Amino acid sequence: ERDLVRRSKKDYPVTQRLQQIAGVGPLTALCFVLKIGEPNRFGRSRDVGPYLGLCPGRDQSGGTDKQLRISKCGDGLLRRLLVSAAHYILGPFGPACALRAYDWEAMGRLHEAGLIYDPVGKAKSVVLTEAGIKRSAELFQKHFAAAT
């Protein structure tokens, strides 16, 4: 494991940035970097999820539109590592973060701003509107995209 950490620092320095995220260790960061390769090949950041099989299936019929389980296409190991990291973040031992604290007042403000659909009655799920998707992409580029 020490050799893995040393080599990933030397050959793939972006792994150090990914490891700053709680729950993401050297193996998860290295697998992500190696699997994604050149990130510019994705037109939008939200295209990475479906590439890894982390998008839900759909069952659309008549007036219903059911969201199914994730598709599980793509790299199984990386998907398991990312799901494990998410379980750590959202579980009882994860750090305090906005993902764990479901703030209904904040959800109301986001809904009023037109960034998410109405959160009332949802089982802790937030669905972004097109405006919300656009704004999240802008914020991602501003705060997390590597300077070129």
Side-chain angles (χ1 to χ4, degrees):
E1 184 178 337
R2 289 181 184 165
D3 185 46
L4 175 75
V5 172
R6 185 174 35 80
R7 293 203 56 193
S8 68
K9 279 183 183 179
K10 178 184 168 203
D11 298 337
Y12 305 99
V14 72
T15 59
Q16 296 303 302
R17 188 182 307 183
L18 291 172
Q19 289 180 57
Q20 293 175 356
I21 302 167
V24 176
L27 181 60
T28 304
L30 185 60
C31 282
F32 186 83
V33 168
L34 292 175
K35 185 64 179 176
I36 297 302
E38 182 57 43
N40 294 333
R41 67 188 172 126
F42 296 99
R44 301 169 299 186
S45 59
R46 67 180 178 168
D47 292 337
V48 176
Y51 175 75
L52 298 174
L54 292 171
C55 64
R58 310 291 292 192
D59 182 15
Q60 298 174 325
S61 175
T64 64
D65 184 12
K66 297 178 193 169
Q67 185 170 315
L68 305 174
R69 296 180 185 186
I70 61 172
S71 66
K72 297 185 180 178
C73 297
D75 187 85
L77 172 63
L78 180 55
R79 189 174 52 255
R80 283 191 296 273
L81 289 170
L82 292 173
V83 168
S84 177
H87 279 234
Y88 170 76
I89 291 170
L90 298 174
F93 303 110
C97 66
L99 290 174
R100 293 180 68 206
Y102 200 72
D103 186 346
W104 286 103
E105 186 177 320
M107 295 296 114
R109 289 193 308 270
L110 290 170
H111 174 63
E112 289 170 7
L115 299 175
I116 64 171
Y117 290 104
D118 191 1
V120 177
K122 305 287 186 199
K124 289 194 173 185
S125 63
V126 177
V127 181
L128 295 172
T129 62
E130 287 299 318
I133 292 169
K134 181 180 177 189
R135 182 67 178 136
S136 66
E138 291 169 358
L139 290 171
F140 178 84
Q141 288 298 320
K142 178 180 177 184
H143 295 290
F144 298 106
T148 56

